[in-house]
Amino acid sequence: MKLILLGPPGAGKGTQAEILSQKLGIDTISTGVMLRTAIREGTELGLKAQGYINAGELVPDELVVGIVKERLSQDDCKKGFILDGFPRTTAQAEALTASGVEIDKVLSLEVSDEAIIERLSGRRECKACGTPYHVVYKPSSAGDKCSVCGGELIQRADDNEATVKNRIHVYHEQTEPIKEYYKEKGKLVIAYGQEELADTTREVAKALGLEA
């Protein structure tokens, strides 16, 4: 299956992508992870992208389209893939279509703005090893330290409440129109995010026709 995951920041796309990756035996291609890795390593792409991400804005198409095309041309993507975080604009979706990349289904994971704000503003990660936490849903057993390595827990710059609200606004304004683009192509399916992970996973499987 060649799948695109859509949804607002913090909807749980990354978690569902991981579950689907294991279930279907295909790789997840996450532009968010690619960009954060580039930022940590101080690459040219990372330095350019950092300013946009910290402000809660979308990274320009020219910085993203190239790395996605290159990644999808690798051998491990020939049997299928899951795109998480791309495309983010209708222009990117059109560029993906124009590049000849075939997509089977586009899953939109729907979550309310209020739930997104609570989820994202409570996220923390270890400054040293990158282990993720949440002040409500997944607190560290070591308090304000990482329970894995003892490192300092930090809030990503793009997870403070003001930036989160801006990211949601950007999603509604620039990314949500992609749903209509793929709906017209008959590829859009919708799943509604639930409070419990297992319930969301069932909704996703149902939407994709993967139920046993």
Side-chain angles (χ1 to χ4, degrees), residues 7-9 52 55-59 88-89 113 162-178:
Y52 292 99
E57 297 175 0
L58 293 177
V59 177
R88 291 197 179 197
T89 64
D113 291 354
T163 303
V164 167
K165 288 180 177 178
N166 187 50
R167 291 171 69 193
I168 292 172
H169 172 74
V170 168
Y171 172 77
H172 287 313
E173 186 178 71
Q174 299 189 35
T175 303
E176 210 160 25
I178 296 175

Side-chain angles (χ1 to χ4, degrees), residues 39 45-60 63:
I39 288 171
L45 170 64
L47 293 173
K48 289 180 179 178
Q50 187 169 25
Y52 292 99
I53 291 175
N54 286 350
E57 297 175 0
L58 293 177
V59 177
L63 294 182

Side-chain angles (χ1 to χ4, degrees), residues 23-24 26 28 30 39 45 59 67 70 72 76 78 80 87 96 117 129 137 160 169 179-180 191 197 199 203 210-211:
K23 185 180 183 73
L24 299 172
I26 55 179
T28 298
S30 172
I39 288 171
L45 170 64
V59 177
I67 61 169
E70 184 177 69
L72 294 183
D76 62 335
K78 290 179 180 177
L96 191 64
I117 291 169
C129 73
Y137 302 114
N160 72 69
H169 172 74
K179 286 162 43 177
E180 189 62 32
L197 173 60
D199 294 333
E203 288 291 315
L210 299 176
E211 290 181 302

